[in-house]
Amino acid sequence: MASPNALKQRHQKQASDQRPSSTHDFAKDFPQKAHSSFSSLKTVFTAWGMFVGFLVLLCLISYQLHYTLPTPVIESSDPAGLPQFSEQNARKIVRHLSTNIGYRVVGTEQELETKQYLIKELSDLKEQARVHGLRGAEDLPQFDMWVQVGDGSHRFDFMSKVVMKMYTNMTNIIVRLSCGPECDKSSILLNSHYDTTLGSPGAADDALGVGVMMEIIRVMSLKAAPKKNSIVFLFNGGEESLQDASHSFITNHELKDNIKAVVNLEACGTTGPEILFQANSREMIDAYGTVPYPHGTVLANDLFATGLILSDTDFRQFVDHGNLTGLDMAVYKNSYLYHTHLDLDEYMEAGLPQHMGENTLALATYLSEKADLSGLESTSSVVFFDLFGKYFVAYSWSTAIRIHLVVIGVAILAVITQASRPTIRATLSILLSFIAAVILPNLSVVLLQSLGKPMQWFSHEWLSCLLFGPVALAGMFLVQLIFHDKKASTAANELSTLSAVQVFFTLCLAGASYTGFASSYVFALYSLSATIGLFYNQKRVADEVTRVDYTAYFVSSMMPTAYFSFVCFSLLDIFIPLTGRIGVDAPVDHIVAVLTGFIVFVFCPPVLAFAHRFGRVMLKKLVVFLLVAHLLILLVTSIFVQPYDELHPKRVFAQHLRNLTSGESMMYIAHADPGPFYDAYVSSVEDLFDAKSVFRSPGNNPGDWNAIYPFNQFLESYVIDTTPYIKSQTSNKTISEHSGPLTAFVQQAPRLLAESV
């Protein structure tokens, strides 16, 4: 028989597992109530409500900081009469290019009209600067212009394909502002392209870049000349044709040898700030630190280098063929309209041209006035990131290693001083929680696809978090439920899990540092935040060493949650619309499910420890609640939410091909994502032509879409024989009364010509 003391100890152990461990520290944080089930539930709701409310507040602040744009400037001069960047002036160029001219595909009349328009506008700016000088302005820059028309060829590797590209009569318009021969020996290049892709008026891509550069020329040509380096503006006429024009400039133009660095302006979106997503030298990254609205991170640089983002810019030509270093900046939010007929000025957010313009003007001013462009070396060993769009941080990899060693050392100190009390069991649970977070949402994908509801998340960037977030959380908490140590108190489980979070990210930091991963600064932030929270907790609990003070969660979560939510907006803005154009065979639902699970896990890792705070029974109820909520969300969204609408369109490609040799006439219809509505669209086209379509896989019919090679490998198409339709519509009796295929007329060209066919 057990002794009275043993029975008493067992009773105390059982009680600690059935009631919130927070009773002892909630006495400090909340009024103590009677120990009824109602008061315990109220305590749980209050604690969770305050903590979740704190996290939501951090998200709202980050959202505001992330998407706030400067107020558009209307006037061309400031109150002192000095020229300033004006969004209104830039938009005038954008509207004329995208609305008045429209599609500006290489080799078309519209492309020629664009060339003539830009030459006229630039000539007017040159004359304006000359008149300004005659009126007494001193030390104005020398204003030079060139129009380059060239032929050439280059190899273009893209999407695992090799394209041997030839071009002829490719046009570039070049402007140089300088202080004379001394400045001309060293130049900085600003680049944008004025052509568009098929079917798009290209307001953002890239009339915006053109308008920004035109306005910068106006401002800089009316101010004192650059004192150190000249600045060259390249308006290239062939980026969408696989970067022919930029290749022509950097390999053939007379200024090419004087160009030392490049700043490229691009866009795949229509709202939000532009991001610095490629940078390859320390000096140019430091130059970016002078802009008023910094927005860039080595995370984007590393992500783009992986090839996961199926896009490219002229930056490649300048690096590969000009051996240049520089910066690549692009607007990226709301890329649903990218390369569509909706890329119009009216959908471009107010303040966006001002944001890009002021940043680019600041860069151009610094690089032409102060920067030493001699001896620039390409490197990927630079860590850089912005802090909420207000401050820019950049340091070398050697400095990063020293910082990481300090962070790891402080984490070890926390373990030595027992501020951190990790266990192998708890540390393993963090790893498995991460795995569960990225795997379980894929079960929801299987369910949605079985219901015929793929890509339910597509219409809004945040919708994936609503669809897959609860099940990712449920997976994380289920692992914690399984690994909850019944032999230890609830408080001990809580502390060991919070300590394990610190160990997990410290190990990630060590591994990333060893591999030279520049984005490892994020792991340093998470490790340091958890360590600070544990030291804070040790001081708060004093002699009660095996519990976690409620406020310690706020301390350990504040920095990583605030920063990652800021970065998370960029991740969603880039990846969600992108999935609509990466191919019919890509498992886009699973990709988004995994991405969402990753976001949920990294958003606030200390929540894994907080889940233990109210005991194993409450943790089990939390898992059930999340699973039920998830099923309800799936049910509601499957009924009321559609993946496509007018401003979130599905991309459908159509081409009519007539073989002049065989006489065949075919209509091809294709799409580039596995979303719904495609079959219904094909059926409607079949009804229109009164003919049945034949499926054509890209693997077996690679030549069907050679006009857009190498993008054709992502298209799944149907083909319709339009011969019967032609026969039913033509007024030519020779064709309409013929019962055989049109190929029979290939040998009867003189007869058809006589009948004016």
Side-chain angles (χ1 to χ4, degrees), residues 38-303:
F38 175 79
S39 64
S40 297
L41 195 60
K42 183 177 180 181
T43 298
V44 172
F45 283 149
T46 302
W48 271 104
M50 289 182 63
F51 187 44
V52 172
F54 173 71
L55 300 179
V56 170
L57 178 62
L58 292 178
C59 281
L60 292 176
I61 294 172
S62 295
Y63 181 90
Q64 184 69 20
L65 292 172
H66 190 280
Y67 292 114
T68 297
L69 294 173
T71 303
V73 173
I74 306 301
E75 300 298 329
S76 298
S77 302
D78 63 17
L82 298 175
Q84 63 180 355
F85 187 93
S86 167
E87 176 170 319
Q88 179 170 279
N89 292 341
R91 278 188 182 269
K92 176 186 173 184
I93 304 294
V94 173
R95 279 192 293 270
H96 187 88
L97 293 178
S98 60
T99 304
N100 297 357
I101 298 178
Y103 304 160
R104 306 179 298 282
V105 179
V106 171
T108 62
E109 292 183 0
Q110 290 81 2
E111 188 243 341
L112 177 60
E113 182 183 354
T114 303
K115 168 187 169 182
Q116 295 168 345
Y117 168 74
L118 293 177
I119 291 174
K120 179 184 179 301
E121 290 294 314
L122 290 167
S123 298
D124 290 345
L125 291 178
K126 184 176 182 179
E127 177 62 18
Q128 181 182 2
R130 188 187 71 83
V131 171
H132 191 59
L134 293 176
R135 290 175 178 174
E138 298 180 355
D139 299 326
L140 294 183
Q142 182 176 319
F143 195 127
D144 300 308
M145 279 183 62
W146 293 262
V147 177
Q148 177 195 22
V149 180
D151 307 334
S153 63
H154 61 109
R155 171 175 168 168
F156 191 89
D157 295 351
F158 193 50
M159 299 179 177
S160 302
K161 303 290 183 180
V162 176
V163 183
M164 303 306 296
K165 192 72 170 58
M166 297 184 67
Y167 56 87
T168 184
N169 294 330
M170 193 59 62
T171 301
N172 287 311
I173 304 170
I174 303 105
V175 170
R176 181 178 65 189
L177 301 179
S178 75
C179 63
E182 287 302 315
C183 290
D184 296 342
K185 295 177 182 179
S186 181
S187 302
I188 181 74
L189 176 68
L190 263 63
N191 175 74
S192 64
H193 66 92
Y194 61 80
D195 68 312
T196 66
T197 190
L198 292 166
S200 176
D205 181 23
D206 191 27
L208 172 61
V210 171
V212 165
M213 283 172 45
M214 294 278 282
E215 179 63 359
I216 290 175
I217 290 174
R218 182 192 69 82
V219 172
M220 297 190 72
S221 65
L222 299 178
K223 289 184 175 182
K227 294 182 175 60
K228 198 164 188 179
N229 308 300
S230 64
I231 182 162
V232 176
F233 299 83
L234 171 60
F235 301 88
N236 87 68
E239 190 268 352
E240 301 293 358
S241 62
L242 303 186
Q243 304 165 15
D244 297 330
S246 55
H247 175 270
S248 178
F249 173 83
I250 203 61
T251 57
N252 293 310
H253 197 270
E254 62 183 88
L255 297 180
K256 64 182 178 65
D257 294 329
N258 295 328
I259 303 297
K260 305 303 181 184
V262 60
V263 176
N264 188 53
L265 303 182
E266 262 290 0
C268 64
T270 61
T271 62
E274 84 282 350
I275 189 172
L276 171 63
F277 68 99
Q278 287 195 95
N280 62 349
S281 75
R282 176 61 190 271
E283 293 81 3
M284 292 298 290
I285 292 171
D286 287 341
Y288 185 78
T290 64
V291 304
Y293 314 111
H295 182 48
T297 169
V298 71
L299 273 169
N301 198 73
D302 290 343
L303 184 62

